[in-house]
Amino acid sequence: MAALHGKLSTKRRRTKVRRERVVTAVLLTPFAVLALAGGMQAVAIDSASAQGYTYNPRPARPKPPPPPAANNGQMLVQASEVNYDYNNKRVAAVGNVQMYYNGTTVEADRLVYDQDTKRLRAEGNVRMTDADGKITYANFLDLSDDYRDGFVDSLRVDTAQDTRIAASRADRTGGNYNVFQNGVYTACAPCKDDPKKPPLWQVKGARIIHDQTDKMLYFEDARIEFFGVPLAYMPYLSTPDPTVARKTGFLMPAYTSNTTFGSGFEIPFYWALAPDYDVTITPRITTKQGVLMQGEFRQRLLDGAYEVRAYGINQSDPAAFGSGPGNRDLRGAVDTKGQFALNDKWVWGWEGVLMSDRAFFLDYRLAQYRDSWGTFLNQSTEATSQIYLTGVGNRSYFDIRAIHYLGWAAADIQGQIPVVHPVLDYSKTLDQNIFGGEFSYKTNLTSLSRQTAQFDPVTTIANTTGLCLNTSADPLARLPSSCLLRGVPGTYTRLTAQADWRRSFTDPYGQIWTPFASLRADAIDASISNQPGVSNYLLPGDTQAMRLMPTVGLEYRYPFINVQPWGTTTIEPIAQVIIRPNESYAGKLPNEDAQTMVFDASNLFSVDKFSGYDRVEGGGRANVGVQATTQFDQGGSVNVLFGQSYQLFGLNSFAVADATNTGLDSGLAKPKSDYVGRVSYSPNSTYKFTTRARFNEATFNVERFEAEASASFNRWSVSMIYGNYGAQPDLGFLTRRQGILGTGTLKIASNWVVSGGARWDLEANKINQYIVGAGYVDDCFVLALNYVTGYSYANYGTTPTLNHSVMVQIGLRTIGMFAMQQSVSGASSGMFGQ
């Protein structure tokens, strides 16, 4: 094409480029001079050369050039046609207009810039994308050249956080304020099938003001609508904009009630003092007890974080708490927790609680008590204070901590709860082999103290007469036949160190031989208080003891494999022989961490079947069993294990009673143990069935039986556990116990789920705990409704009572979370917001 030359006269003249050509221009300063270049080539031109130009055609590129870097002062415009009006100092870009300036992109059918007023006007199918990813759709846009002031008609704004604002008009002033007239705000995505359909929820306001400096959204005459139906009205509503993670302001209010403090209303105030720390102040105004002040300070540092919470109240009516600990004027508490990393393997931290009285959290339904309400049939009844240091390596673990427990329930006697100072665990497996086998070692240190002995009844008479209580009129009658000594008064320290070695061989016939050896040493120091009845169980006074347990053994397995067209079956006889001396001081030392004893298929081949370190299994023993596993080619498997344990020689540790009768009635206290078995069947990834059982060695009666089944499909899942446990009179279980615990969920729609769970006491023939509920969850909304029954300690009662509650949780993304719990049995109710 030939070059065009000419001068502009004083009359209005236009220079046009043919419509089929795409025109690109670059401006050196905002909207100062518009220059053209041929094809897709961008050329910068100053005002002296604006009177003429040369057009050099070049092949068109498939994509527009990338925008210039933000804040470089240049503007890039691409359009099908550019018109100049030099007399009125206006430049118009028409047809598929794309403009890039300072990180912002404007697309429209037509774009006009007025150099005198320094205004930019975009018309038709306007789409503006800013540097933060926010997209504004409009029919008409009028802005200043620095985007600080202007207005937009018929717009919709989509943010990078998937929120949307629509309005009939928006005005922008000072570069910081956007005022949306007749605005609508939502965090829900539009319906794919019908975009004009109202979203699940939206907030409408006569005006929505977006303060971009403070990053706040303010709604005037706000209405919250669900599916287009107004459900709530508020004359004023404010919330941080979606880009804000932390913002100073009021949080969702909360309501709670109780018979002792009446109704309580609180509005938390959140204060973001700095990027790394904040404060929340929450006064609760109660109708009966006055104002309960609550404050929380949180700080995040480079290597960790911590928080401190404080509570305090001067009660108006202390007598409302009767004879409980709450009958006092001033009440309060402080609790704190934190954790910090020393490096990529070590962390240290703490938890701490200090209260004026142990019923304070219970009486006012405060943080630690309330946090557990969401769990199924569970409620916190103690406070834990501890400091710890933990390290985790590739094949090693270290943990040391000191712990103090504070019991909240009236049945708790604080002197009977141990103070742990400290407990230490360390284990390591060496990377290199020793004598061709794996070598590992572990250490445990436990030191604790207790002020008062804790006795539990094991007979009906002892229970009904209160014989085992510390207030018993006849403490000398506390005998092992009537009571168990669960907690030993005084101080107790034990240091345990153990080394283990194991190696496996496979001979030419496919038999697997695994010799193993271990050496364990215990150093024990006990100072037992001579309180009434304690001498019937243990020797009071100071006791020092050394306990050594060397062990050698051999495990034998001989797997037989059978391959069929439908799958592979492996039958594996297993035999284990263990040789060691008798347990030293059996039943004559305190037992704090090995009080539970369950013998089943899971620990049939355990070298030491005690659950803790305070007892150690001694004497010669053989464990024998057979295991069969079938893997089906079409998927699924079956596993069966059946076996028995034998005391070969020496003292049977499980037949020796200690202060808690651990081992008695376990099925191991005889030369030939009870039989144990397990059957697991998984036909596919959907179903799973497992049964575990222990049968009496002489009569084959069922002493312990559990059956568990679960199924999980695309839309529903269910699980059920049946338990049947025989009487264990030596442990205080005088009758057989049976029960069923079942849970299930059903997805009735893409976002709707119903769930339930129940526990049926078959001996009492009643359902004593259950939960039923329904929930809705999607990308912008959460709704949960549950009806729960469970045992709780209401108002510091002496025994747990069955409480019925309804819990509702509603969450609007970017707006807040609201939860309410209402007791329907008269105990308490509450509503909580986040």
Side-chain angles (χ1 to χ4, degrees), residues 696-716:
N696 186 278
E697 178 268 336
T699 64
F700 217 72
N701 291 333
V702 177
E703 300 292 345
R704 182 181 182 91
F705 179 80
E706 291 178 339
E708 181 177 358
S710 64
S712 179
F713 295 87
N714 291 333
R715 301 181 65 88
W716 63 275

Side-chain angles (χ1 to χ4, degrees), residues 26-30 67-76 100-103:
V26 176
L27 301 186
L28 292 176
T29 57
N71 300 320
N72 64 357
Q74 290 188 349
M75 174 179 295
L76 178 65
Y100 307 96
Y101 175 60
N102 280 354

Side-chain angles (χ1 to χ4, degrees), residues 184-323:
V184 179
Y185 172 83
T186 184
C188 298
C191 178
K192 294 181 180 179
D193 299 331
D194 185 6
K196 296 183 179 180
K197 181 181 179 180
L200 192 153
W201 67 265
Q202 60 187 8
V203 181
K204 287 187 175 180
R207 292 203 313 166
I208 301 177
I209 302 172
H210 184 197
D211 186 337
Q212 292 182 289
T213 300
D214 291 340
K215 297 185 180 299
M216 289 291 296
L217 288 172
Y218 302 95
F219 299 83
E220 297 179 358
D221 293 329
R223 301 187 309 276
I224 300 179
E225 297 182 353
F226 283 83
F227 297 106
V229 179
L231 294 182
Y233 169 78
M234 287 170 283
Y236 177 82
L237 173 67
S238 66
T239 183
D241 73 21
T243 64
V244 176
R246 302 166 64 252
K247 182 66 178 177
T248 297
F250 290 98
L251 305 179
M252 294 292 288
Y255 170 80
T256 184
S257 66
N258 185 274
T259 56
T260 50
F261 63 76
S263 297
F265 183 77
E266 57 188 50
I267 302 181
F269 181 78
Y270 175 77
W271 191 1
L273 295 172
D276 60 327
Y277 59 89
D278 53 49
V279 171
T280 304
I281 300 176
T282 310
R284 179 193 295 180
I285 302 175
T286 67
T287 56
K288 292 185 179 180
Q289 300 296 343
V291 179
L292 170 67
M293 292 300 301
Q294 308 170 71
E296 179 180 11
F297 176 84
R298 303 185 307 170
Q299 184 172 19
R300 179 173 295 277
L301 304 176
L302 292 176
D303 55 352
Y306 71 96
E307 63 182 56
V308 180
R309 293 184 289 192
Y311 317 81
I313 185 173
N314 186 358
Q315 297 186 135
S316 302
D317 184 18
F321 296 94
S323 59

Side-chain angles (χ1 to χ4, degrees), residues 339-358:
Q339 180 170 292
F340 294 88
L342 299 176
N343 51 44
D344 61 341
K345 293 182 174 61
W346 290 88
V347 297
W348 72 278
W350 75 87
E351 291 180 281
V353 180
L354 181 64
M355 295 192 290
S356 60
D357 59 273
R358 58 181 178 153

